[in-house]
Amino acid sequence: MTYSPFFLHGAGRPARWVICCDHATNHVPPFVNNGELGLPRADMERHIAYDIGAYGVAQQLGQLLDAPVIASNFSRLVIDPNRGPDDPTLLMKLYDGTIIPGNRHADAAERTARMAACYHPYHDALAELLMRPDAILVSIHSFTRQLRGRPPRPWHIGILSPDNEPLSPHIVTEMKAQPDLCVGVNAPYTGYLPGDTLDRHGTAHARPNTLIELRNDLIASAAEQQDWAERLANVLPCALNKSGL
């Protein structure tokens, strides 16, 4: 079977929303170290390799909003599509205390090859989806409750966006109105990295965009993914309406 670096669902769906999942799978393509990075299976199942549960949420959310969904088909440890081409963490050799053996000797030529095979096709396809009029970019991610040697993270969900982005503050307001949630704003990560997916496809085009981080222990099962997709499918249209965009 021919390898494709991304999955595309509902390309013809009519909604303004375009949903992406940058870290959808832990797949290592066969042309990268014969399909493995030298890590035990247990490490490849951890958050260091992909965003656990995020792909399921993205697929369900796309169906509920009648919106297209694009998702990567390569581990973030192969090459990270949510980084700019010059970002030093584009090809990780150490992540959350784990050395990545298959990346230990990866040089500039290897980085370029992985970008050509995985990174660029994914971003090209996302850019094509966003050519629809008035498109809004929603990026679905997940985060681990606790990094090694760090305190537990209290948030259930984080809403990330660049400064002065017009939609995300309304999403935050809608989420904070739900009393069962601890909502992070640009937490557990910053809402802006130069060259990341939001910057490249959202901010650079003055396009509304938001990144939604869900704690991965809350979306481990298909039922939990469906529940969160339904919650987001209720919140996003309300936030959009209040934004006046």
Side-chain angles (χ1 to χ4, degrees):
M1 181 180 294
T2 303
Y3 170 71
S4 174
F6 58 86
F7 303 106
L8 184 56
H9 306 277
R13 293 173 183 163
R16 291 177 64 185
W17 309 100
V18 173
I19 299 164
C20 71
C21 188
D22 292 332
H23 303 142
T25 79
N26 58 3
H27 180 61
V28 181
F31 50 82
V32 176
N33 294 307
N34 295 314
E36 58 89 22
L37 292 173
L39 289 172
R41 173 48 51 183
D43 277 331
M44 289 302 296
E45 296 292 341
R46 293 175 60 218
H47 65 278
I48 65 171
Y50 73 121
D51 281 0
I52 297 164
Y55 186 24
V57 174
Q59 290 181 81
Q60 295 298 324
L61 182 60
Q63 291 181 13
L64 292 167
L65 293 177
D66 206 14
V69 178
I70 185 170
S72 67
N73 185 25
F74 50 94
S75 171
R76 68 194 306 165
L77 298 179
V78 170
I79 200 81
D80 193 333
N82 194 34
R83 296 292 184 271
D86 298 325
D87 192 303
T89 63
L90 177 69
L91 199 162
M92 294 288 281
K93 300 188 178 186
L94 174 69
Y95 190 14
D96 194 22
T98 297
I99 295 172
I100 318 303
N103 291 347
R104 184 192 298 266
H105 301 296
D107 57 12
E110 176 66 15
R111 183 172 65 249
T112 297
R114 294 187 193 185
M115 291 182 75
C118 301
Y119 182 101
H120 292 309
Y122 172 75
H123 280 290
D124 289 347
L126 176 54
E128 186 173 347
L129 284 178
L130 288 164
M131 291 177 66
R132 62 187 61 205
D134 301 324
I136 301 168
L137 176 60
V138 178
S139 185
I140 302 294
H141 289 250
S142 72
F143 65 97
T144 188
R145 185 170 190 173
Q146 186 172 17
L147 293 170
R148 288 177 174 174
R150 305 285 184 88
R153 292 160 160 171
W155 310 285
H156 301 113
I157 183 172
I159 308 300
L160 282 60
S161 67
D163 291 340
N164 302 315
E165 195 285 318
L167 175 62
S168 295
H170 297 280
I171 300 174
V172 170
T173 298
E174 293 295 314
M175 282 295 178
K176 285 190 171 182
Q178 302 184 35
D180 61 327
L181 293 184
C182 179
V183 180
V185 180
N186 286 329
Y189 311 108
T190 178
Y192 177 78
L193 286 172
D196 69 4
T197 298
L198 293 191
D199 181 43
R200 179 174 183 164
H201 296 284
T203 305
H205 300 275
R207 177 179 291 132
N209 62 87
T210 195
L211 189 154
I212 297 172
E213 286 273 3
L214 298 167
R215 210 175 72 200
N216 62 23
D217 62 314
L218 303 178
I219 53 171
S221 70
E224 290 168 325
Q225 293 161 19
Q226 179 68 32
D227 286 347
W228 272 97
E230 290 175 0
R231 192 187 292 242
L232 292 171
N234 288 324
V235 162
L236 291 174
C238 290
L240 178 60
N241 182 58
K242 290 180 179 179
S243 75
L245 292 168

